[in-house]
Amino acid sequence: MALFENLNLEKGMYQAKGKSLTDVLESLDPSENYVGTPLENLDAFSRQLKRFDIRVSGEGSDCVEKFFQSSNSAALFPEYVTRAVKQGMEDADILSDIVATVTTIDGMDYRSITSDPTDDDKDLAVVNEGAYIPQTVVKTSENLVKLHKRGRMLVSSYEALRFQRLDLFTVTLKQIGAYIARAQLKDAVNTILNGDGSNNPCEGIASATADTLEYGDLISLWATLSPYQLNTILAPTDAMKKILALSEMKDAAAGLNFQGSGKMVTPLGANLLHTNAITSDLIIGLDKNCALEMVKAGDIVTDYDKLIDRQLERATVSCIAGFAKIFNDASVKLTY
């Protein structure tokens, strides 16, 4: 009998600090042992699903009750919920396109580092022999990063869900993940615009013509951000329509690309991202490699005790994260 078929699964596996159930299973049953076998494309958790013949997607997916055929298989249910929620977050993800780095911490208190170089600091002049070398000051932020807990509560009885197909239940869980991702994006945008508590709100410029967005305004955004790169633009629906309606954005090649692949032409080479986390008369330009740090207090947390014991009602799925600015002038807002 294969090793993965002999593992004893229990609640304590969810208590490993900084590890998911999949991580724990991988340590007990490494995927490298299955190279060259029919199971080499499965991770340790997927092998456990196969062990208990649980199909979570596709034609012939099982019902929720299939997880509860034994105490061992029931221990897999919270990880299934977590992975489905995480997939929903990834499907709705924009954060990875605006965050420079992600820091995972064990506690709730975290101070980021910050640097506010002057124009002279950015210009590395020639240093004569024996002369003073200009310095860049990097210091710890005065304030703790504000972490926000975002999540949803599952309000349903096991009896109501037991005969529901897992692929349908997955859709609901993925939507919960999408809600969390959008809430975190709103937190990130708020940090960019208003600062992270260290008196560092986003620098702003105004459109040359009130209530109108012109191509020249995008040029001004690009110029103001220099010497940082304008590689990302965040815009709400109204601004997106105005940008895409600019004559400079409607050449034949751009139209064919949008109609054929759904990929929009990007102004000045920047990645154009649509979000409703911004007011309708504002767009944000930033250098994604320098502007923002995401701080996570662990990963997605599920009420594994309740889920394993079939107490789905009022079981929560949540994620704790916050954001801090790295270089304040690596983001600029344009009001029109």
PDB file of all heavy atoms in Angstrom, residues 19 56 94 138 156 259 334:
ATOM      1  N   LYS A  19       2.004  26.772   8.630  1.00  0.00           N
ATOM      2  CA  LYS A  19       1.867  25.747   7.601  1.00  0.00           C
ATOM      3  C   LYS A  19       0.400  25.426   7.352  1.00  0.00           C
ATOM      4  O   LYS A  19      -0.402  25.393   8.286  1.00  0.00           O
ATOM      5  CB  LYS A  19       2.604  24.461   8.004  1.00  0.00           C
ATOM      6  CG  LYS A  19       4.120  24.566   8.018  1.00  0.00           C
ATOM      7  CD  LYS A  19       4.738  23.217   8.315  1.00  0.00           C
ATOM      8  CE  LYS A  19       6.256  23.269   8.256  1.00  0.00           C
ATOM      9  NZ  LYS A  19       6.861  21.934   8.499  1.00  0.00           N
ATOM     10  N   VAL A  56     -13.768  16.906  -6.657  1.00  0.00           N
ATOM     11  CA  VAL A  56     -14.252  18.231  -6.261  1.00  0.00           C
ATOM     12  C   VAL A  56     -14.638  19.087  -7.458  1.00  0.00           C
ATOM     13  O   VAL A  56     -15.179  20.189  -7.282  1.00  0.00           O
ATOM     14  CB  VAL A  56     -13.196  18.974  -5.416  1.00  0.00           C
ATOM     15  CG1 VAL A  56     -12.913  18.223  -4.130  1.00  0.00           C
ATOM     16  CG2 VAL A  56     -11.919  19.182  -6.211  1.00  0.00           C
ATOM     17  N   ILE A  94      -5.758  41.642  -8.375  1.00  0.00           N
ATOM     18  CA  ILE A  94      -5.087  42.785  -8.992  1.00  0.00           C
ATOM     19  C   ILE A  94      -3.887  43.187  -8.140  1.00  0.00           C
ATOM     20  O   ILE A  94      -2.941  43.793  -8.620  1.00  0.00           O
ATOM     21  CB  ILE A  94      -6.055  43.975  -9.143  1.00  0.00           C
ATOM     22  CG1 ILE A  94      -7.136  43.658 -10.178  1.00  0.00           C
ATOM     23  CG2 ILE A  94      -5.334  45.244  -9.582  1.00  0.00           C
ATOM     24  CD1 ILE A  94      -8.122  44.784 -10.404  1.00  0.00           C
ATOM     25  N   VAL A 138      17.565  54.945   5.149  1.00  0.00           N
ATOM     26  CA  VAL A 138      16.481  53.977   5.275  1.00  0.00           C
ATOM     27  C   VAL A 138      16.204  53.803   6.760  1.00  0.00           C
ATOM     28  O   VAL A 138      17.106  53.478   7.528  1.00  0.00           O
ATOM     29  CB  VAL A 138      16.854  52.617   4.637  1.00  0.00           C
ATOM     30  CG1 VAL A 138      15.710  51.624   4.811  1.00  0.00           C
ATOM     31  CG2 VAL A 138      17.196  52.794   3.162  1.00  0.00           C
ATOM     32  N   SER A 156     -24.917  28.237   6.814  1.00  0.00           N
ATOM     33  CA  SER A 156     -25.703  27.147   6.241  1.00  0.00           C
ATOM     34  C   SER A 156     -25.473  25.909   7.081  1.00  0.00           C
ATOM     35  O   SER A 156     -24.388  25.705   7.632  1.00  0.00           O
ATOM     36  CB  SER A 156     -25.278  26.889   4.787  1.00  0.00           C
ATOM     37  OG  SER A 156     -26.016  25.830   4.238  1.00  0.00           O
ATOM     38  N   GLN A 259     -10.070  43.520 -29.953  1.00  0.00           N
ATOM     39  CA  GLN A 259     -11.158  42.691 -30.456  1.00  0.00           C
ATOM     40  C   GLN A 259     -10.758  41.216 -30.556  1.00  0.00           C
ATOM     41  O   GLN A 259     -11.581  40.326 -30.366  1.00  0.00           O
ATOM     42  CB  GLN A 259     -11.593  43.196 -31.835  1.00  0.00           C
ATOM     43  CG  GLN A 259     -12.200  44.605 -31.789  1.00  0.00           C
ATOM     44  CD  GLN A 259     -12.379  45.194 -33.169  1.00  0.00           C
ATOM     45  OE1 GLN A 259     -12.434  44.469 -34.150  1.00  0.00           O
ATOM     46  NE2 GLN A 259     -12.459  46.518 -33.241  1.00  0.00           N
ATOM     47  N   LEU A 334      -3.960  61.506 -10.374  1.00  0.00           N
ATOM     48  CA  LEU A 334      -4.374  62.514 -11.342  1.00  0.00           C
ATOM     49  C   LEU A 334      -5.869  62.752 -11.199  1.00  0.00           C
ATOM     50  O   LEU A 334      -6.672  61.807 -11.341  1.00  0.00           O
ATOM     51  CB  LEU A 334      -4.055  62.054 -12.778  1.00  0.00           C
ATOM     52  CG  LEU A 334      -4.671  62.874 -13.921  1.00  0.00           C
ATOM     53  CD1 LEU A 334      -4.109  64.303 -13.916  1.00  0.00           C
ATOM     54  CD2 LEU A 334      -4.401  62.207 -15.254  1.00  0.00           C
TER      55      LEU A 334
END
